[in-house]
Amino acid sequence: NTDVKKTNSNYSIRTNPIHEDKLILESNESKDFNYVIFNEAGQKIIVQDKCFIDNNTLYQIETKKLNQGIYYLKINDKQSSQTLKFIKN
């Protein structure tokens, strides 16, 4: 399910749409997380486990494999789940 939901989490994408081959994720908390990138049809494109973001730092996600289009980044950590919509130009 790729419905855009936000539940008590503090992730954001720095520039959207993204023009380069990386998506920059921000968080105001240090935490372990994993993520899945889905296309508009709901197909999993990229799956990554065991990631870590430090407080007020940036996490880069490689998007070179993605064609232009609309995608959903689903982020899961121990406390919450959040889905962010982004566009790759």
Side-chain angles (χ1 to χ4, degrees):
N1 186 352
T2 58
D3 293 342
V4 178
K5 295 178 184 172
K6 183 171 180 177
T7 56
N8 249 352
S9 195
N10 297 301
Y11 296 100
S12 61
I13 295 173
R14 179 162 254 194
T15 54
N16 193 4
I18 56 174
H19 299 282
E20 301 174 11
D21 288 334
K22 63 184 174 230
L23 178 148
I24 300 174
L25 186 65
E26 296 178 289
S27 176
N28 62 1
E29 297 177 20
S30 298
K31 56 181 86 179
D32 293 304
F33 69 99
N34 59 62
Y35 66 85
V36 179
I37 295 178
F38 296 92
N39 63 16
E40 279 193 294
Q43 299 168 306
K44 291 180 184 179
I45 306 297
I46 299 172
V47 178
Q48 185 66 50
D49 292 324
K50 298 180 183 173
C51 304
F52 179 77
I53 191 165
D54 211 354
N55 184 24
N56 294 317
T57 60
L58 306 176
Y59 185 89
Q60 294 186 20
I61 297 173
E62 170 106 16
T63 59
K64 197 178 290 187
K65 297 177 185 177
L66 301 179
N67 296 322
Q68 290 183 354
I70 297 172
Y71 295 91
Y72 298 91
L73 171 65
K74 184 173 184 179
I75 305 160
N76 297 297
D77 59 45
K78 290 179 183 175
Q79 291 81 31
S80 63
S81 176
Q82 181 177 353
T83 302
L84 302 169
K85 180 179 179 179
F86 70 93
I87 299 168
K88 167 97 185 263
N89 282 341

